[in-house]
Structure formats: structure tokens, C-alpha cells
């Protein structure tokens, strides 16, 4: 077989403000690979099927994060084309950290999860609600939020992959759920598909008013930071818990531009607990439980999901920009092959 192109995506510049595809990324097709003869040196060769673009990538792109000229990497799904290790065999579908390139040779000691070959769940979902974003939701609810049936929870960015699972697990566990999102069709999705109790568009409604209408909240799942966090702080019930999962409203701002949270005084007499979440910290404790629970719930239709698929590695920069601007509808997935 003749060598074929092995396209890849590099970081070309550290963005200031929102990334600019033509300036900050370099899509390069100059490398080629012969899939039949490329040496494996005891390792294995994968073809990239799907790549995940996630909000955290914006932080990696800034000065002090990924070095200029480095390959993008993130969670993805790959298929094993050839292998010289017993750990993985030809045809295995793997989930783990992939570089943003079409084909890759890996050393034998690389860690990946082999996905089940059932057709119950499309493989792409394993980078969404059944992957890292879903784990974030599951781990944060179990490890920090301490939800109890009858309590109420407010979830910002509720239609993204993290928010989708937080909302649905909270509903399944007997909580009242309020979600905020940035468009009316996302509101419809939350109410009609995820069947949560209430939802609003934070761009056209007042978050403080919506929280008042809903009643006090026991848990706030914070995906955005900024004024939404201030409004939630005011609405917390006594002994409320705030899971600080993300601050996407400030990811594209300089430290000087960032909104400073004002209402932390509201925590004092209500004895509110606010805790940051880093998904990886909880993997040892909850990963087995997550994989035993969530994919099964998805296969049984008990957990719904929405995906937004962008075709082609060359369009990964646009896909990331969509996420950072709120133009994605559900988990943003790049289909590479
Ligand atoms: N702590 C951890 O370990 C961990 C792990 C994974 C993810 N996260 C965080 O969890 C959050 C959700 O992640 P995801 O993967 O589910 O993302 P996502 O929903 O796919 O992506 C981004 C969404 O954020 C919203 N958004 C964008 N700019 C915004 C702004 N200026 N103000 C308010 N909302 C804005 C948009 O939704 P709307 O249209 O609704 O505004 C957009 O669709 C992110 O903050 C992410 O960084 C944290």
C-alpha cells in the first residue's frame, strides 16, 4: 500500500480573546504514513474516528499552556489497525487521550479503555455523556454535591454534555431541576427531551428572577461563573452546596476583564459550601461505578443526549470556536474518519 497523508492539527499562536482558526491553528497535511509498513516497535497503530473539543482547551491554548507548534490533544475514539501487543488487537475500539491526527503509532504501555462492541450506544457518545464530560457530572454529583431526593438544583450550561447528565441524574435521583441555557431551542430541549422541571434562556430572562420563581436552591452546579454565580449565591438555601465545575463566561477574557464575584457574603449565615471540581481526582473512586451505570442508562433510553457533529479534522478549530461561543447544540464532536 502506498503512503497516504496523515493530517494533523497544531497550535500556531496563543490566542487573545476568542481563538481565530486561520491564525491560531495550523492544519498540516505534509506528513504521510504507510499503514501496512510503518514500524510499530512492539506497540500498535490506531486510526482516529472521533475527537472531542472541550472548553478546557481554551486554557491550554493560552501562553503558559501548550507550547507553540505542539499537536492538539484531547479525548477521542480510535480503532486499532495493527498491533504487536497482546493488550490491544486489530479492530478494538479505544477511548482515551489522542493527538489531533488521523493515524498514530503508540508504545505498548499506552493506556486506553477498550469500548464494548455493542451497537447500543454510538462510539461518539463515549466522548460525551458516557465520557469525560459525563464523568465530570457523575463524579461532581456524587463526590461534592451530596444530592438528596426532594432537594432542588440549578444547573448552568444545562444543555452541554456535563449539564445534560447533571440534569438527568438529578431528575432520576428525585431532585427538582432548573436549567439555564443561551437559546430558546436549548430551553425546549431541556423541557421536552430531558424533562427537567424548569428552564430559561439567560440571554433574555433575568437569572435572579427565574431563581426567585423556582424557589431556593440546595445545589448550584456552576459551569459559567460570573454574574450567574452571584445570582445563585443569593438564592442558596441553608447548608446549600455549590459545585464549581467551570467558568466558561470568563475563559476568553483577560484577568482584568473578568467579572469579580461579589456575593460570597451570602455563604456565611446560610453555611453554604462551595467547592471546585477536577474530574480526574475522582476517577479511582467512581470510574468503575460510572461505566457500570451510565452507558447502561443511555442504552436503555433512561439518559438522553444531544450531539453536534462536525465532519473533518480540518474543521476542528471551528468546532472549538462553536463551543466557546455557545453555538454548539449538545456535545461537540469532530468526526475524523
Ligand atoms: N472541572 C472539571 O473537571 C470539568 C470537566 C469538564 C468540563 N468542565 C466545565 O464544564 C462546563 C461545561 O462543559 P461542557 O463540556 O458541557 O461544555 P459545552 O456545554 O459543550 O460548551 C460550552 C457551552 O457553554 C456555554 N457558554 C459559552 N460561552 C458562555 C458565556 N460567555 N456565558 C455563559 N455560558 C457560555 C454555551 O452554552 P449556552 O448556549 O447555554 O450559553 C456553550 O454551548 C465548562 O465550563 C467546562 O469548562 C469542567
Amino acid at each position: 500500500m502506498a503512503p497516504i497523508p496523515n493530517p494533523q492539527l497544531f497550535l500556531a499562536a496563543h490566542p487573545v480573546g476568542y481563538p481565530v482558526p486561520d491564525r491560531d491553528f495550523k492544519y498540516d497535511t505534509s506528513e504521510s504514513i504507510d499503514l501496512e509498513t510503518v514500524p510499530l516497535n512492539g506497540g500498535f497503530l490506531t486510526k482516529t474516528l472521533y475527537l472531542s473539543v472541550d472548553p478546557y482547551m481554551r486554557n491550554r491554548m493560552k501562553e503558559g499552556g501548550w507550547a507553540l507548534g505542539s499537536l492538539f490533544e484531547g479525548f477521542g475514539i480510535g480503532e486499532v489497525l495493527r498491533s504487536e501487543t497482546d493488550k490491544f488487537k486489530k479492530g478494538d475500539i479505544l477511548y482515551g487521550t489522542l493527538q489531533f491526527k488521523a493515524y498514530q503509532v503508540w508504545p505498548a504501555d499506552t493506556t486506553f479503555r477498550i469500548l464494548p462492541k455493542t451497537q447500543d450506544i454510538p462510539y461518539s457518545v463515549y466522548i460525551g455523556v458516557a465520557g469525560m464530560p459525563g464523568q465530570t457530572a457523575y463524579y461532581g454529583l456524587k463526590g461534592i454535591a451530596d444530592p438528596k431526593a426532594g432537594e432542588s438544583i440549578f444547573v448552568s450550561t444545562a444543555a452541554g454534555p456535563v449539564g445534560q447528565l447533571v440534569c438527568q441524574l438529578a431528575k432520576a435521583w428525585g431532585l427538582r431541576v432548573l436549567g439555564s441555557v443561551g437559546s430558546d431551542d436549548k430551553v425546549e430541549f431541556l423541557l421536552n427531551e430531558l424533562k427537567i422541571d424548569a428552564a430559561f434562556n439567560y440571554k433574555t430572562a433575568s437569572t435572579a428572577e427565574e431563581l426567585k420563581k423556582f424557589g431556593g436552591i440546595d445545589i448550584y452546579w456552576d459551569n459559567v461563573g460570573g454574574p450567574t454565580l452571584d445570582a445563585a449565591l443569593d438564592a442558596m438555601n441553608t447548608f446549600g452546596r455549590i459545585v464549581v465545575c467551570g467558568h466558561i463566561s470568563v475563559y476568553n477574557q483577560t484577568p482584568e476583564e473578568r467579572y469579580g464575584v461579589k456575593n460570597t457574603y451570602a455563604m456565611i449565615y446560610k453555611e453554604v459550601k462551595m467547592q471546585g471540581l477536577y474530574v480526574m481526582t475522582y476517577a479511582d473512586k467512581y470510574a468503575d461505578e460510572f461505566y457500570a451505570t451510565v452507558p447502561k442508562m443511555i442504552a436503555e433510553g433512561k439518559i438522553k443526549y444531544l450531539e453536534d457533529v462536525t465532519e473533518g479534522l480540518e474543521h476542528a478549530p471551528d468546532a472549538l470556536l462553536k463551543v466557546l461561543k455557545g453555538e454548539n447544540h449538545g456535545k461537540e464532536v469532530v468526526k475524523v474518519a
Side-chain angles (χ1 to χ4, degrees):
M1 190 179 173
I4 56 170
N6 191 8
Q8 34 202 313
L9 190 73
F10 295 95
L11 179 68
H14 298 300
V16 177
Y18 284 102
V20 176
D22 293 342
R23 180 194 67 190
D24 302 330
F25 302 79
K26 181 168 181 246
Y27 177 69
D28 184 73
T29 54
S30 60
E31 187 182 292
S32 55
I33 184 169
D34 187 323
L35 300 178
E36 281 169 10
T37 62
V38 62
L40 302 185
N41 302 318
F44 55 104
L45 169 68
T46 58
K47 168 175 152 177
T48 305
L49 303 181
Y50 294 100
L51 290 167
S52 175
V53 284
D54 293 277
Y56 75 84
M57 290 176 167
R58 178 61 187 81
N59 288 328
R60 301 278 165 88
M61 290 175 75
K62 71 184 181 201
E63 195 117 35
W66 285 326
L68 291 184
S70 48
L71 267 174
F72 263 71
E73 63 172 34
F75 290 97
I77 311 290
E79 178 180 354
V80 178
L81 299 183
R82 287 169 50 215
S83 177
E84 293 176 351
T85 163
D86 294 340
K87 272 171 67 185
F88 304 113
K89 58 180 191 310
K90 184 175 177 334
D92 279 349
I93 304 293
L94 308 182
Y95 164 78
T97 302
L98 296 182
Q99 290 178 325
F100 275 43
K101 61 195 292 191
Y103 302 97
Q104 282 169 267
V105 175
W106 303 93
D109 61 358
T110 315
T111 305
F112 280 109
R113 170 175 284 271
I114 302 174
L115 298 181
K117 282 256 177 53
T118 63
Q119 296 306 307
D120 294 347
I121 309 178
Y123 293 131
S124 56
V125 180
Y126 283 95
I127 50 175
V129 288
M132 183 280 286
Q135 287 156 15
T136 305
Y138 194 89
Y139 301 172
L141 281 173
K142 288 259 171 162
I144 298 178
D146 189 24
K148 296 171 199 73
E151 287 190 327
S152 58
I153 182 171
F154 169 44
V155 185
S156 51
T157 313
V162 174
Q164 286 177 41
L165 195 60
V166 173
C167 285
Q168 293 181 88
L169 288 175
K171 267 317 285 176
W173 296 341
L175 282 82
R176 283 179 70 236
V177 180
L178 169 69
S180 71
V181 281
S183 70
D184 291 345
D185 56 333
K186 290 183 186 180
V187 169
E188 293 302 311
F189 168 71
L190 294 178
L191 296 175
N192 300 334
E193 297 292 325
L194 304 194
K195 313 269 187 215
I196 67 171
D197 300 281
F200 65 94
N201 178 349
Y202 67 86
K203 291 179 181 165
T204 54
S206 148
T207 301
E209 285 302 316
E210 294 296 326
L211 281 164
K212 215 175 279 168
K213 261 197 272 170
F214 190 70
I217 49 174
D218 300 296
I219 301 168
Y220 171 46
W221 187 284
D222 183 22
N223 279 329
V224 297
T228 311
L229 175 55
D230 262 342
L233 276 161
D234 261 348
M236 296 305 294
N237 289 335
T238 304
F239 298 121
R241 287 84 67 199
I242 299 177
V243 182
V244 185
C245 174
H247 268 26
I248 195 163
S249 69
V250 303
Y251 290 172
N252 293 285
Q253 296 178 341
T254 60
E256 297 72 42
E257 287 168 337
R258 279 178 202 155
Y259 178 92
V261 174
K262 303 180 178 103
N263 281 346
T264 44
Y265 72 86
M267 297 170 68
I268 302 169
Y269 297 110
K270 292 193 281 185
E271 298 185 60
V272 169
K273 190 168 92 179
M274 176 152 69
Q275 186 176 333
L277 163 67
Y278 177 47
V279 56
M280 299 309 171
T281 302
Y282 296 84
D284 285 349
K285 190 164 180 193
Y286 293 121
D288 289 345
E289 186 181 315
F290 172 84
Y291 280 109
T293 309
V294 171
K296 189 163 173 278
M297 290 176 84
I298 297 168
E300 290 170 355
K302 292 178 181 155
I303 297 282
K304 304 247 184 337
Y305 60 88
L306 183 65
E307 280 184 343
D308 197 334
V309 181
T310 294
E311 302 248 355
L313 181 59
E314 67 276 30
H315 298 303
D318 307 302
L320 179 58
L321 203 55
K322 269 170 78 180
V323 168
L324 296 175
K325 291 196 161 174
E327 291 162 3
N328 60 318
H329 289 253
K331 171 63 197 158
E332 188 65 34
V333 166
V334 178
K335 188 174 180 197
V336 179

